[in-house]
Amino acid sequence: MISAEQNELMTRIGPGTPAGKLLRRYWQPVALVDEMKGERPVKAVRLFSENLVLYKTDNGYGLMQRHCPHRGADLAFGRIEPDGLRCSFHGWKFDAKGKCIETPAEPEGSRLCEHIKTVAYPVVEKSGILFAYLGEGAAPAFPHFDCFVAPDAYTFAFKGYWDCNWLQALEVGIDPAHASWLHKYFEDEDTAGSYGKQFRGVPADSELPISKVLREYDRPEIRVERTEYGMRLHTLRRISDAQTHIRVTNILFPQAFVIPMNAEMTITQFHVPVDDTGCYWYSIFTSFGAPVDKDTMRAQRLRTYPAPDYKPIHGRHDGWGFDAREQQTKTFTGMGFDINIHDQFACESPGRIADRTKENLGTTDKGIVLYRRLLVDAIKKNEAGQLVIDMEKASGPPAIDGIGPTASIDQYWKESDETRRRRSAWAA
């Protein structure tokens, strides 16, 4: 049972909060690269309860306090120039480090700008996402995870907004048992048309539709273990004495998971606080086989999470698109065929910040239990100045969906990962 105090400790991420200070020590997604491709690459951003402005110049990207330190004008309406962002009120200009480099309304020879600096954060581009470092001290190195190592042609990035606390969004990925229920389809589609869809294809080394596996083998055995990057989960569904379905999924501490989308593609998904009661998920789809069909995947997802704000077409306002007839005949939830909406319902319906004091966890929640221990332990170590972040050597991790021999299933998933990498154009 989680106490109210523990729930507050884990969920609150505003400036100065223990969880907020911990998460700020890691690189955080701030926007899709696609969002900065227009004629005017300036975007207002809210992140960790801070109002910021993201912009692009000839020298790269800048992220800084949204309101000008002169008299508070909104820099999201500023003027982009080759070397910085200029406030539209008095023309003060700032570079990507937040330093004021011009105060043109001041008298000739004024040195006022030498003393003006605003809050600014470094930004880097990785696999179609712009990441910012909001913490104190030097930023950690990026780990050699597959989503960051794969060439651009083999990755695709997208995002979506959920109206709930970041921790609720992350915890859906540590709960493998829910897939047999929340994502249950009563009929199996032609798997030949499953590109870009999760839980609609076939596992590796099988012709059995994954939708059938989840529907008919709904009491999985779940194993969890700590790793150097966070934790690994094994979800086993015994098909027969001879065969077992296995999904190997991972938590990249502190707030991402890596799961198999199908036999050839993985999803690395980050859950980034906008504030205490809202978050964006950012997904990097990584292909070990053919290059990603980005146009198809983008079009599929924009139907449910349209630009420019990537907020879903369904939510609390319409009962997440619930249809009673559909629930009787087509899907377990009655909420359509996009699993992101299913997950959104599961994360949003407990409230914007779930009251974990009322939970009754079961054996299938062992991943959630372990993650919360890791999170609280890291928060405490960070507060005591004892947390060391060294992820530079981390790689992988394996995210496998396949059906293999029951007697040697642990060997199977390791060999499956090795084989997929060996055959890949970039991961060998």
Side-chain angles (χ1 to χ4, degrees):
M1 184 72 71
I2 293 291
S3 68
E5 292 74 20
Q6 286 176 308
N7 200 43
E8 289 285 299
L9 178 69
M10 294 189 300
T11 57
R12 300 291 181 176
I13 49 71
T17 60
K21 287 189 288 183
L22 172 69
L23 298 185
R24 283 168 175 265
R25 293 197 59 190
Y26 296 81
W27 287 97
Q28 297 289 338
V30 63
L32 298 174
V33 173
D34 285 349
E35 296 180 79
M36 304 300 286
K37 289 183 177 179
E39 294 182 3
R40 184 175 177 275
V42 181
K43 179 177 176 61
V45 173
R46 184 164 169 80
L47 194 67
F48 285 81
S49 295
E50 283 193 62
N51 293 318
L52 306 169
V53 59
L54 174 70
Y55 63 96
K56 183 180 181 181
T57 67
D58 291 351
N59 300 320
Y61 295 94
L63 179 69
M64 64 187 185
Q65 177 180 300
R66 182 170 172 178
H67 294 280
C68 180
H70 179 203
R71 285 170 57 191
D74 191 343
L75 290 171
F77 297 92
R79 300 175 61 88
I80 282 287
E81 299 193 1
D83 58 345
L85 182 65
R86 190 183 294 277
C87 180
S88 297
F89 194 5
H90 291 89
W92 287 22
K93 183 161 69 171
F94 300 86
D95 66 15
K97 294 183 178 180
K99 185 180 184 304
C100 183
I101 53 178
E102 287 184 20
T103 54
E106 292 296 304
E108 188 75 30
S110 171
R111 300 179 62 183
L112 175 63
C113 65
E114 297 177 13
H115 307 287
I116 304 297
K117 193 175 189 302
T118 190
V119 175
Y121 302 111
V123 177
V124 298
E125 180 179 337
K126 290 282 186 179
S127 302
I129 294 176
L130 299 175
F131 287 81
Y133 181 69
L134 283 68
E136 297 180 356
F142 271 86
H144 297 284
F145 292 140
D146 294 322
C147 65
F148 298 139
V149 172
D152 177 74
Y154 293 85
T155 65
F156 167 69
F158 199 74
K159 76 177 189 179
Y161 180 80
W162 284 351
D163 191 28
C164 66
N165 183 260
W166 73 276
L167 185 57
Q168 287 155 242
L170 176 67
E171 287 184 339
V172 71
I174 320 172
D175 170 21
H178 83 268
S180 284
W181 302 96
L182 188 68
H183 306 314
K184 181 182 291 186
Y185 303 116
F186 298 146
E187 294 183 0
D188 303 315
E189 292 182 352
D190 181 359
T191 56
S194 66
Y195 187 84
K197 302 176 184 178
Q198 194 172 357
F199 297 136
R200 292 312 245 177
V202 294
D205 305 308
S206 173
E207 295 299 323
L208 195 62
I210 186 62
S211 52
K212 182 179 179 70
V213 173
L214 296 179
R215 184 174 64 246
E216 297 189 3
Y217 304 94
D218 54 17
R219 292 180 182 269
E221 175 191 352
I222 298 172
R223 305 172 185 171
V224 299
E225 59 181 326
R226 297 181 186 229
T227 66
E228 71 277 7
Y229 52 79
M231 57 187 282
R232 180 184 296 129
L233 299 93
H234 298 174
T235 305
L236 307 172
R237 290 178 167 85
R238 193 180 181 98
I239 307 299
S240 66
D241 289 343
Q243 289 190 309
T244 292
H245 174 259
I246 183 169
R247 277 178 64 83
V248 179
T249 59
N250 309 270
I251 291 295
L252 307 181
F253 193 83
Q255 67 208 94
F257 58 68
V258 184
I259 61 176
M261 180 173 177
N262 52 42
E264 292 297 324
M265 192 176 292
T266 63
I267 305 172
T268 304
Q269 186 162 296
F270 302 82
H271 298 86
V272 186
V274 170
D275 47 36
D276 287 339
T277 59
C279 65
Y280 274 98
W281 52 260
Y282 284 82
S283 289
I284 302 174
F285 299 82
T286 307
S287 174
F288 289 84
V292 178
D293 182 348
K294 300 189 184 196
D295 290 340
T296 293
M297 294 190 69
R298 183 180 295 107
Q300 287 172 335
R301 283 152 183 81
L302 284 172
R303 286 196 290 267
T304 311
Y305 287 83
D309 57 13
Y310 297 87
K311 291 187 176 180
I313 59 175
H314 298 303
R316 286 188 178 87
H317 65 281
D318 69 347
W320 297 275
F322 176 75
D323 183 299
R325 176 53 68 94
E326 179 194 304
Q327 190 180 52
Q328 292 176 340
T329 59
K330 296 180 180 179
T331 68
F332 191 74
T333 61
M335 296 178 184
F337 293 86
D338 186 333
I339 73 162
N340 286 303
I341 297 295
H342 304 169
D343 288 335
Q344 178 191 342
F345 154 76
C347 294
E348 290 182 347
S349 61
R352 289 182 171 86
I353 301 181
D355 183 356
R356 291 173 175 79
T357 67
K358 297 179 180 179
E359 290 179 333
N360 294 278
L361 300 185
T363 57
T364 58
D365 298 309
K366 60 181 66 175
I368 289 174
V369 172
L370 176 56
Y371 172 78
R372 291 177 184 175
R373 289 173 180 166
L374 294 174
L375 177 60
V376 171
D377 182 59
I379 289 173
K380 291 179 178 178
K381 285 183 177 178
N382 193 52
E383 288 295 284
Q386 300 171 352
L387 185 68
V388 177
I389 300 173
D390 183 12
M391 298 286 285
E392 190 171 4
K393 296 180 181 179
S395 62
I400 299 298
D401 186 310
I403 294 180
T406 299
S408 57
I409 197 65
D410 286 329
Q411 187 66 24
Y412 165 78
W413 73 260
K414 294 175 185 177
E415 292 176 351
S416 181
D417 181 55
E418 292 172 0
T419 299
R420 185 171 65 180
R421 292 179 185 280
R422 188 168 59 250
R423 292 173 178 171
S424 172
W426 59 268

